[in-house]
């Protein structure tokens, strides 16, 4: 059974750094892209970026390029989403999701439970 | 980026009736479209991929049609557990794999 288990809720002040995690199990972590999705309070889903853990190839949405860093540690089947300087506008629920592919195109099939990040002074 | 537009924003339907949700892409995405359901306090769940293929465990009352720029999700006979938010997402042209803004399906 595929499972994605995310780290717990975080509260930080503006300007602080943060790294949240997503631990995968039940499949070969190195062979499927895994990504992150933001959901701001009361809003819709926003695709942030993805990583291929096998070679750490990454792709970001232009909206999030330079604002966050996505990484992975294949030795422990874990993906990460990181901020160097948080802003209040980063307050949101963040989901990780792993992709499945058909005919060379890929969609999010499995989702983590979400990590709530609150940034407030 | 490809813009995905869902309509209506809110749909009010009675249990047992049919619901039809629409999703339009700003340019062709072939059949590379997924639908997700999200209930309050829960992560999204994949319903449909490749525009019309139900994901594992999804009931047959959910069906998807369309290709190119116009897509439809139909729920044939609404059950109480179907009232939720629904999002479409294209994965033909990335990054990013853009989502629509969502349709809230509420009880009439």
């Amino acid at each position: 059974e595929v499972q994605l288990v995310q780290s717990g809720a975080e509260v930080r002040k503006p300007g602080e750094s943060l790294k949240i995690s997503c631990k995968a199990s039940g499949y070969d972590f190195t062979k499927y892209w895994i990504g992150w999705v933001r959901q701001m309070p009361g809003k819709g889903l926003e695709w942030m970026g993805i990583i291929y853990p096998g070679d750490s190839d990454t792709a970001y949405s232009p909206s999030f390029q330079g604002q966050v860093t996505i990484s992975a540690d294949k030795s422990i089947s874990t993906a990460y989403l990181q901020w160097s300087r948080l802003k209040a506008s980063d307050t949101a629920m963040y989901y990780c999701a792993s992709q499945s592919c058909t005919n060379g195109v890929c969609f999010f099939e499995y989702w983590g439970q979400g990590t709530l990040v609150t940034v407030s002074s | 980026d490809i813009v995905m537009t869902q309509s209506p924003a809110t749909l009010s339907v009675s249990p047992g009736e049919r619901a039809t949700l629409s999703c339009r892409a700003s340019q062709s995405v072939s059949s590379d479209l997924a639908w997700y359901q999200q209930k309050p306090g829960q992560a999204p769940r994949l319903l449909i991929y490749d525009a019309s293929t139900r994901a594992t465990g999804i009931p047959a009352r959910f069906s998807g049609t369309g290709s190119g720029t116009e897509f439809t999700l139909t729920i044939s006979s609404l059950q109480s557990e179907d009232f939720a938010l629904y999002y479409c997402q294209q994965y033909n042209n990335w990054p990013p794999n853009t989502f629509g803004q969502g349709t809230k399906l509420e009880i009439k």
Side-chain angles (χ1 to χ4, degrees):
Chain A
E1 178 194 8
V2 174
Q3 282 195 312
L4 301 174
V5 179
Q6 298 185 227
S7 50
E10 302 277 4
V11 179
R12 292 287 189 277
K13 291 180 167 53
E16 292 185 340
S17 63
L18 177 64
K19 191 174 189 178
I20 62 175
S21 67
C22 170
K23 182 168 177 60
S25 61
Y27 72 102
D28 188 341
F29 181 70
T30 63
K31 293 186 176 176
Y32 295 88
W33 292 83
I34 187 164
W36 291 91
V37 174
R38 183 175 79 174
Q39 189 167 40
M40 299 178 76
K43 303 298 184 183
L45 305 174
E46 298 175 272
W47 192 95
M48 301 177 70
I50 53 174
I51 187 166
Y52 189 75
D55 60 7
S56 293
D57 188 17
T58 54
Y60 293 90
S61 165
S63 298
F64 292 93
Q65 180 83 49
Q67 307 304 308
V68 297
T69 301
I70 294 171
S71 61
D73 184 341
K74 58 187 179 183
S75 70
I76 54 172
S77 299
T78 300
Y80 300 98
L81 178 64
Q82 182 174 1
W83 296 260
S84 59
R85 290 187 61 83
L86 286 160
K87 298 175 282 190
S89 58
D90 292 317
T91 295
M93 182 70 80
Y94 293 88
Y95 295 101
C96 65
S98 65
Q99 292 198 323
S100 296
C101 302
T102 61
N103 302 315
V105 289
C106 307
F107 49 90
F108 285 141
E109 181 165 11
Y110 302 101
W111 293 70
Q113 83 277 18
T115 296
L116 179 62
V117 173
T118 303
V119 184
S120 175
S121 55
Chain B
D1 298 0
I2 294 178
V3 176
M4 307 301 292
T5 303
Q6 292 186 239
S7 61
T10 303
L11 182 61
S12 300
V13 183
S14 300
E17 294 190 340
R18 175 188 299 257
T20 302
L21 289 68
S22 296
C23 176
R24 173 177 291 178
S26 60
Q27 64 189 73
S28 177
V29 297
S30 186
S31 295
D32 302 332
L33 185 108
W35 290 93
Y36 300 89
Q37 178 193 66
Q38 187 180 32
K39 297 180 179 179
Q42 296 186 17
R45 176 175 72 147
L46 176 68
L47 297 176
I48 300 282
Y49 62 93
D50 293 350
S52 61
T53 303
R54 279 189 301 277
T56 303
I58 301 304
R61 64 180 181 273
F62 291 90
S63 62
T65 59
S67 65
T69 62
E70 301 283 344
F71 300 88
T72 300
L73 174 69
T74 301
I75 311 170
S76 60
S77 178
L78 280 164
Q79 308 296 303
S80 58
E81 62 267 29
D82 299 335
F83 293 96
L85 275 164
Y86 291 84
Y87 294 94
C88 63
Q89 183 202 28
Q90 68 82 20
Y91 48 93
N92 178 264
N93 189 305
W94 66 282
N97 293 9
T98 41
F99 291 94
Q101 82 279 18
T103 290
K104 181 180 180 181
L105 181 57
E106 64 176 25
I107 301 175
K108 187 174 183 180

